[in-house]
Amino acid sequence: MPELPEVETTRRGLAPHLEGRRVTGVVLRRPDLRWPIPAEVGRDLPGRRIEAVRRRAKYLLLDTDAGDSALLHLGMSGMLRVLPADTPVGTHDHVDLALDSGRVLRFTDPRRFGCLLWQPAGTTHELLQGLGPEPLSGDFDGDRLYRLSRGRSAPVKTFLMDQRIVVGVGNIYAAESLFRAGISPLRAAGKVSRERYVALAGAVREILAYAITRGGTTLRDFLDPDGAPGYFEQELAVYGRGGLPCPACGTALREASIGQRASVWCPRCQR
DNA sequence: CATCGGACCTGTTAGC
DNA sequence: TGCTAACAGGTCCGAT
């Protein structure tokens, strides 16, 4: 489900419900997510006040008044919603954080590829180290892509989805960005010119920023914390449209697996 | 180091 | 209609 726009949509939906609220209790129904939920979540979080809800890459951080943070990743199927405390619990509702507002923050994740971890005060969690720049920040540009790609033989799509290069770009937005920039996803990263990487960086930035304004992409089940779907799906140019006509030139869109991920592109517009 | 394949887990959909 | 296989928005890990 979640790439940067969906995680950012989640963050924006959560913030007004969480910031300034105190956690009054934690219910762990299934601690065996991608990694076990550490004891601190159940032991230390109750009583803390949440000061900020932040996003780094596809991770969310709930910063507390003690300086520590709960660190969340939604994996492929994770969802966070703020619900009335008496909302019936479903099969995949793994964690509740009860709030002093009387509501609960509920973490739901059928596939359990997501995680809920703990970042002690004054530390940066290991998973957050080594990440590339935020694509919507000034640290990300075509020159960086050009420099880091020299000598690389992997497909440019795989390169773009590497979170050490730039964060937040997953399978949907990689496909859309490459289409907008006119670059074939199969091209070796090391053989894309500086000029074309400048176009790609611009495309990534524009598409992610726009997708956020649409509330992200809902393919099957993404909902923001208030239960609303995203509307960017209606504007996808290539993702999920293999065999259909290219929106720019009408050529049938090609579909193939690249780096184990389904990929779609226009063989005429993208070289 | 870079790259590739496999693994994690469940639900939905395509195909026979 | 029913069963089975393939596939899904992510990313870590080990082998090469």
Side-chain angles (χ1 to χ4, degrees), chain A residues 125-141:
Chain A
H125 197 282
E126 198 174 291
L127 291 171
L128 301 183
Q129 293 174 26
L131 291 174
E134 288 291 327
L136 300 178
S137 78
D139 298 338
F140 171 65
D141 59 20

Side-chain angles (χ1 to χ4, degrees), chain A residues 45-186:
Chain A
L45 200 47
R48 298 269 202 277
R49 195 178 62 230
I50 297 171
E51 307 235 291
V53 182
R54 284 186 298 136
R55 179 188 59 74
R56 171 71 174 113
K58 299 173 192 170
Y59 292 91
L60 287 168
L61 293 113
L62 310 184
D63 294 340
T64 81
D65 55 344
D68 40 30
S69 308
L71 177 66
L72 289 141
H73 195 289
L74 301 176
M76 290 276 263
S77 57
M79 179 160 45
L80 288 164
R81 285 168 302 163
V82 176
L83 301 165
D86 58 357
T87 306
V89 172
T91 316
H92 304 296
D93 293 340
H94 307 311
V95 182
D96 279 356
L97 301 190
L99 304 167
D100 64 0
S101 60
R103 300 212 254 193
V104 296
L105 171 65
R106 180 161 292 171
F107 181 55
T108 305
D109 185 9
R111 292 177 74 178
R112 286 185 282 123
F113 286 176
C115 61
L116 168 52
L117 300 169
W118 189 252
Q119 179 172 277
T123 69
T124 299
H125 197 282
E126 198 174 291
L127 291 171
L128 301 183
Q129 293 174 26
L131 291 174
E134 288 291 327
L136 300 178
S137 78
D139 298 338
F140 171 65
D141 59 20
D143 193 58
R144 173 185 174 83
L145 293 178
Y146 177 75
R147 269 186 294 109
L148 294 179
S149 63
R150 291 311 86 185
R152 293 222 190 185
S153 62
V156 61
K157 176 165 180 269
T158 304
F159 174 73
L160 186 61
M161 290 171 66
D162 184 337
Q163 304 296 298
R164 293 168 299 189
I165 305 303
V166 61
V167 302
V169 181
N171 205 30
I172 295 178
Y173 297 104
E176 296 297 308
S177 300
L178 287 162
F179 173 74
R180 165 128 16 157
I183 300 170
S184 165
L186 290 169

